[in-house]
Amino acid sequence: MRITALAGGVGGARFLRGLLAHLAASPDPARRQAAVTIVVNTADDVTMHGLRICPDLDSVMYTLGGGIDETRGWGRSQETSGVAAELAAYGAEPSWFTLGDKDIATHLVRTRMLAEGATLSEVTAHLCERWRPGARLLPMTDDVVETHVDLAGDDGAVRRVHFQEWWVRLHAAVPALAIEPVGADAARPAPGVLEAVRDADVVVLPPSNPVVSIGTILRVPGLREALVGTAAPVVGVSPVIGGAPVRGMADACLAALGVPTTAAAVAGLYADFLDGWLVAAEDEPPVRAGLTVRGRPLLMSSPQATADLAGAALDLALDLTGEDRAA
Ligand code: FO1
């Protein structure tokens, strides 16, 4: 069984760890032997202190590889910040984005390989030789795409900042007038990405941020078409419970698009390819032809709860297999 997932960072990584745990524990050999490919958002990527940082690729790689800081969902476990303190002592900006000492090694290896002409896919494959995530990690593209956010300045002028500045320094507390994955229109899907969607038996959308994680992956030309065209059922897990995001600040992102923070509205963003949608029991299932909605608890409150959630998504997808694809 070939399973392909589109994912962002923290929430997506946790969900995918649950998926791999569910598959490994399954009595069904087809699930135990499943091959999982994860197409990861790279629009959060940023260059700081001369280092190329790929937050979502690293969150997925560290989480599945056992090196993640469990509390934060990003960066390395047992981390120290000696280098960051030295950088601050030099007044090296930005000081609001903390790079951990162990994490810096990842960025040094990546930056050197990129400088030597390697693609981001090659870098990711090399880093995964160490971390052995148990799934194939593919960047959504090997081209540079960076989410930038337009903010209303005090003087009424529009100021454009990198997503990380809005997310980390401003805590997404300043309303975004626009969220733009710069470079997306000229980006090409990374090698294997379109095939991973087209040839999948199941495509899963974890409860990642629908705007700056899943949404940016969908902006890479060819991706949305591949999802519409794939014979595989596409099943997603709502990142919203009731009117609030499960975690992160998806509501701030959705507001920038004028999209309500509801499970139904998020499903609407995936309307042209979504076949199944897991929502929290209390959410009104969005009534729409071609979409099968199931209510269940969505909180990834423990590894077992997360594995069960992932199993439920897979069950829904397999229940849809064989049915006519969404018209
Ligand atoms: N998030 C923060 O809130 N503060 C940080 O200082 C920070 C540093 C950081 C360094 C490396 C990395 O891979 C991620 C880091 N993040 C930090 C998280 C990052 O902003 C988010 O994980 C994603 O970009 C959003 O999914």
Side-chain angles (χ1 to χ4, degrees), residues 9-10 44 53 55-56 74 96-99 103 163-164 167-168:
V10 181
D44 289 5
I53 298 157
D56 285 355
W74 54 267
W96 44 265
F97 196 82
T98 308
L99 290 178
D103 194 34
F163 166 78
Q164 293 297 346
W167 195 256
V168 175

Side-chain angles (χ1 to χ4, degrees), residues 212-252:
V212 295
S213 294
I214 305 286
T216 42
I217 295 173
L218 298 176
R219 287 288 298 273
V220 177
L223 254 295
R224 192 176 271 270
E225 293 78 1
L227 285 159
V228 170
T230 183
V234 181
V235 169
V237 178
S238 173
V240 171
I241 295 180
V246 177
R247 60 171 312 288
M249 299 174 272
D251 44 349

Side-chain angles (χ1 to χ4, degrees), residues 14 52 57 146 215 226 267 307 326:
R14 286 185 179 141
R52 192 66 183 158
L57 277 165
E146 291 190 1

Side-chain angles (χ1 to χ4, degrees), residues 66-79:
I68 195 70
D69 174 309
E70 204 57 61
T71 309
R72 300 185 304 186
W74 54 267
R76 287 279 284 102
S77 53
Q78 280 95 38
E79 185 59 282

